[in-house]
Amino acid sequence: MKENRQFEFKSEVSNTFLKTVSAFSNFGTGEIKFGILDDGQVCGIKNPESACLDIENRINDTITPKPDFTLSVEQKTHVITLRVFEGPYKPYLYRGKAYRRSATSSIEVDRLELNRLTLEGSNLYYEGLPCGLKELEFHYFSQKVKEKLGISQVTDDVFRTFGFYTDDRKWNNAAALFSDRNPFHGIDIARFGQSISMILERETLSGISIFEQYDRACQMFRRNYQYEEIVGSERIRKELIPESAFREAVANALVHRTWDIDSHIRISMFPDRIEISSPGGLPKGITKEEYLAGNISNLRNPVIGNIFFRMHYIEMFGTGIRRIIESYRTYANQPVFNVMDQSITIVLPVLRKTFDVNVDEQKIIDLFGGTRNLSSREIAGALGWRKDKAIRLLNALMAKNYLKTIGNGRSTRYCLN
C-alpha cells in the first residue's frame, strides 16, 4: 500500500495529521495510518490505546464542526487506523482553515473552493443563488420551449416550474444562464489547420443563452465535419465525426461544468479530431470509472441538467458518455476522455473503419489522422525502421486501397484513402 489521496501514513502522532482530517471530512472519506513510515514500512506506535485517546482529543479540540471518524488498532503491529468520513456540515476547519487532498499532501483550499464547501454544507448550489439581475429576457429560451414541448405561451409559472427563482422570488444563476443576455462566460470555438498556430475560424459564444450556445456550436460542427455525397440519384449526408457524439459532449460540458469561474468551455476543431474541454473536474463523489460507466448520481448543476433532460437535449442523466462510446463502436479509432482535477476533455477522432492489417501495417496506419500526410522517410523514422521496410509495407497498404499517394518521385507522400 502506498500513500495517495485516500491514504496517509504517519510514523508518530503529531498535529500534522489534522489538516488531512479536514481534507477527508470536506472532500471524501479516507484513512490515516499511524505507525507506518512514508515508504510503507511498519514501525508501530508505543502505547496505542493511549495514542488513540490523544488523537481523538486533538481532533475534538481543533476541528470544527466535529467530524465523523473511527479509530482501530492492529494488535500485532500496533498500527492505528483513523478512518475519517466525508461529512454533511461543510466546511470542516482546522484552526479556521479548510483543506483538501492534492496527491499525497493536504493543502489549504482557495476562496472559491471554500465558497463551494459552504454552499454544499447548506445544501445549496451555485446555480440556485440570486444572479443579481432584476430584468431578464428569454426570447431564445421561449422559442425552444415552444418548439420542443409544444407550449403555446411561456408564462411565469413555466419559469417557476423550471426552477428559475430563489425562495424569495429573485432570478437565480440558472435563469441568467438561459436568458438572452447574461454576464457568464460560454463556449470558445476555434478551428485549426495542421497546427494550433493556423487558426482558420473562431467564434466566442459568451453572454447568451446556453441553448443558443449549444445550437451555434452544432452549426459550426456541421459546416466542417459533414458533407453530401451523390450516390446514384441520391444525395447522402456523410459525417467525419458522429454528430450524436459531438452533441452529447457539448451538452455534457454545459450541464456539468463549474459556472462560478470566469472560464470558457473550449472546443478545438482539428482535421483529425475535435477536443471539447470543460472547466471543473468530476462532480464530488464520482470516480473516473463511474463517470465512464455512466453512473453520475451527483449532478453539479441539477436545475440545468433537469432542463436539458426535459427539453430532450439529453436522454437520461449519466448516459451521454456511454452514447459517445457507442457511436464509435464499429470504428478502429475511439474517443478519449481526459479527466483532470479542474477540467474534463473529450477527444472525438475522425471516423476510420477497421482495417484488415497485420501488426506492422497497423503501426503505419496509426501514424495517420484526418488529412495528415507523411513521407516514407518520416514513417521509417517515427517507427525506427529501415526505409526499405517502410516502403514495402506502404506498398502493401496501397494494394489494399487503404493509402493513397500525393506527389511523385522524391516528393511522394502518403495519406489515408
Side-chain angles (χ1 to χ4, degrees):
M1 183 184 297
K2 296 181 179 180
E3 284 190 309
N4 55 37
R5 288 188 180 185
Q6 284 76 43
F7 292 97
E8 181 169 271
F9 300 152
K10 295 292 182 184
S11 60
E12 59 185 8
V13 179
S14 66
N15 282 347
T16 57
F17 82 93
L18 293 165
K19 294 179 180 179
T20 306
V21 173
S22 168
F24 288 154
S25 299
N26 286 320
F27 290 98
T29 299
E31 292 183 353
I32 304 171
K33 291 186 176 291
F34 299 89
I36 299 182
L37 300 174
D38 290 342
D39 60 5
Q41 183 179 346
V42 175
C43 59
I45 296 291
K46 294 182 179 179
N47 301 319
E49 287 74 17
S50 176
C52 284
L53 181 60
D54 182 25
I55 292 169
E56 184 173 356
N57 288 336
R58 289 176 192 246
I59 293 174
N60 292 336
D61 290 344
T62 58
I63 305 291
T64 55
K66 182 180 177 180
D68 186 11
F69 63 90
T70 61
L71 283 162
S72 60
V73 178
E74 171 58 51
Q75 296 300 328
K76 291 184 179 179
T77 61
H78 285 192
V79 170
I80 300 172
T81 298
L82 169 63
R83 183 169 178 79
V84 182
F85 300 93
E86 182 177 357
Y89 306 113
K90 303 176 179 70
Y92 291 84
L93 307 176
Y94 167 55
R95 293 181 175 173
K97 297 178 180 179
Y99 291 84
R100 66 175 177 86
R101 294 290 281 172
S102 177
T104 60
S105 301
S106 296
I107 63 174
E108 184 181 353
V109 303
D110 59 23
R111 173 57 59 181
L112 182 59
E113 288 178 306
L114 182 60
N115 290 342
R116 291 172 181 168
L117 285 172
T118 302
L119 286 175
E120 188 178 350
S122 302
N123 198 29
L124 297 174
Y125 298 89
Y126 177 78
E127 62 173 2
L129 298 179
C131 68
L133 302 174
K134 294 183 179 180
E135 300 294 332
L136 296 177
E137 295 182 345
F138 296 91
H139 298 296
Y140 200 92
F141 175 82
S142 297
Q143 175 188 341
K144 288 297 176 181
V145 170
K146 293 175 183 179
E147 289 177 1
K148 289 183 171 287
L149 301 183
I151 296 175
S152 59
Q153 186 176 2
V154 179
T155 64
D156 193 64
D157 287 338
V158 174
F159 292 137
R160 187 183 305 110
T161 300
F162 277 123
F164 281 178
Y165 289 117
T166 64
D167 291 339
D168 54 355
R169 298 285 295 170
K170 295 179 180 178
W171 293 116
N172 60 24
N173 287 325
L177 284 164
F178 285 98
S179 69
D180 297 327
R181 295 290 179 268
N182 60 70
F184 291 97
H185 283 58
I187 303 177
D188 185 25
I189 313 176
R191 183 167 68 90
F192 299 93
Q194 293 298 327
S195 69
I196 59 174
S197 62
M198 186 186 299
I199 301 177
L200 305 178
E201 186 179 0
R202 186 163 192 172
E203 189 171 5
T204 301
L205 311 173
S206 186
I208 59 177
S209 169
I210 56 177
F211 276 167
E212 184 175 1
Q213 294 176 33
Y214 176 90
D215 288 342
R216 287 171 63 177
C218 290
Q219 290 168 11
M220 189 166 174
F221 167 85
R222 295 191 198 102
R223 288 199 305 270
N224 294 286
Y225 293 90
Q226 291 181 351
Y227 62 96
E228 288 189 343
E229 184 176 287
I230 298 176
V231 179
S233 60
E234 297 184 11
R235 287 181 177 268
I236 298 177
R237 190 184 71 173
K238 300 284 187 176
E239 51 187 18
L240 300 175
I241 289 175
E243 181 176 349
S244 60
F246 180 79
R247 285 178 170 273
E248 292 287 353
V250 175
N252 191 76
L254 290 166
V255 169
H256 297 297
R257 67 155 288 174
T258 51
W259 286 102
D260 55 358
I261 58 175
D262 294 335
S263 182
H264 292 293
I265 294 169
R266 299 197 179 277
I267 301 178
S268 302
M269 296 180 168
F270 297 92
D272 64 338
R273 70 193 186 281
I274 296 178
E275 299 178 359
I276 298 137
S277 183
S278 59
L282 293 174
K284 282 177 60 62
I286 302 295
T287 65
K288 180 178 179 179
E289 291 71 26
E290 290 170 328
Y291 166 75
L292 294 177
N295 300 324
I296 298 181
S297 58
N298 185 15
L299 285 174
R300 178 179 284 124
N301 305 298
V303 173
I304 297 172
N306 183 57
I307 292 173
F308 267 71
F309 170 69
R310 295 179 66 173
M311 294 281 286
H312 311 298
Y313 283 92
I314 57 177
E315 287 200 4
M316 288 182 61
F317 295 132
T319 63
I321 302 304
R322 292 207 306 267
R323 287 166 60 81
I324 291 172
I325 295 172
E326 177 62 22
S327 67
Y328 279 85
R329 181 174 57 83
T330 60
Y331 294 91
N333 46 351
Q334 295 293 304
V336 177
F337 304 89
N338 296 321
V339 180
M340 309 293 286
D341 284 346
Q342 301 301 326
S343 68
I344 295 176
T345 299
I346 298 175
V347 182
L348 304 177
V350 166
L351 295 175
R352 189 181 74 217
K353 288 290 187 181
T354 302
F355 296 102
D356 181 15
V357 293
N358 60 35
V359 174
D360 283 342
E361 290 171 341
Q362 184 64 55
K363 289 179 181 179
I364 292 178
I365 288 175
D366 288 341
L367 293 176
F368 295 94
T371 59
R372 188 182 185 192
N373 58 76
L374 298 167
S375 69
S376 58
R377 183 181 299 277
E378 290 170 334
I379 292 169
L383 297 175
W385 293 344
R386 291 170 55 90
K387 188 178 177 181
D388 59 346
K389 176 180 179 179
I391 291 176
R392 175 172 53 80
L393 290 166
L394 286 167
N395 288 335
L397 291 169
M398 291 277 292
K400 294 178 180 180
N401 204 32
Y402 292 155
L403 297 181
K404 63 181 180 180
T405 58
I406 301 172
N408 51 62
R410 292 187 176 181
S411 62
T412 299
R413 301 181 72 84
Y414 301 82
C415 66
L416 291 178
N417 188 4

